[in-house]
Amino acid sequence: MKPQSAQRNTLCSPNEFPLKEKTERIISCAIEVHSALGPGLLESIYEEALAQEFRLRGVAYEKQKAISLKYKGADIGKHRIDYLVENEIILELKAVEAMNKIYEAQLLTYLRAMNKRVGLLINFNVERLKNGIKRLIV
């Protein structure tokens, strides 16, 4: 049987997973943070640790980036996303007992608001981080 990563590569075309190399680089950083810190900490701790890992690996990011929200052409306010990575991928972090569908809906809203295609939702409060990662594509 092939390793999971090899299976993934043979099952997915580049169109199915745009920005695949960049998302895998982000996931690699998150796995390093999770391996070092483990589950059970506050989201803000993981956010800071991930920023440090991005710096160490030379990954471009903006943390707590303000975005404008519009409704029928009118600017209705600002909101903050956890990360915009490489000016292409929205990354939302969680440290929750269970993932809720509303987190996915929230990330999809951010993707549409910023006209981006790819988002990652990562929950650090899991035993194995791969079980806490969700990739969304619009």
Side-chain angles (χ1 to χ4, degrees):
M1 183 172 195
K2 292 181 185 178
Q4 186 177 9
S5 60
Q7 287 178 345
R8 208 173 343 128
N9 289 337
T10 59
L11 296 175
C12 302
S13 74
N15 291 338
E16 288 180 278
F17 292 109
L19 306 173
K20 185 175 187 228
E21 288 179 17
K22 290 182 181 182
T23 58
E24 287 181 350
R25 192 168 177 207
I26 295 166
I27 291 167
S28 175
C29 290
I31 288 170
E32 180 68 21
V33 167
H34 190 266
S35 294
L37 298 178
L41 302 173
L42 296 174
E43 181 181 317
S44 60
I45 299 296
Y46 296 113
E47 186 176 313
E48 288 301 319
L50 193 54
Q52 175 64 5
E53 192 64 31
F54 286 160
R55 282 189 293 274
L56 292 171
R57 295 191 189 196
V59 175
Y61 69 92
E62 293 177 72
K63 187 172 74 155
Q64 290 298 316
K65 180 171 177 57
I67 62 171
S68 293
L69 297 173
K70 297 192 181 299
Y71 177 74
K72 295 187 177 182
D75 198 355
I76 58 169
K78 303 267 187 224
H79 195 72
R80 292 196 177 275
I81 61 170
D82 290 339
Y83 284 100
L84 178 61
V85 182
E86 301 285 339
N87 200 34
E88 294 183 287
I89 300 163
I90 297 175
L91 173 59
E92 281 297 308
L93 305 182
K94 300 294 177 196
V96 294
E97 188 68 31
M99 290 297 271
N100 191 310
K101 286 287 189 185
I102 196 69
Y103 303 140
E104 291 178 35
Q106 178 185 39
L107 181 53
L108 288 171
T109 297
Y110 297 160
L111 288 167
R112 285 190 296 271
M114 294 189 68
N115 198 28
K116 304 294 182 193
R117 288 199 62 211
V118 179
L120 287 173
L121 181 59
I122 300 178
N123 181 20
F124 282 91
N125 199 27
V126 291
E127 193 172 316
R128 296 192 63 196
L129 191 64
K130 74 175 196 166
N131 298 327
I133 298 170
K134 182 82 175 185
R135 182 181 305 177
L136 300 177
I137 300 165
V138 293

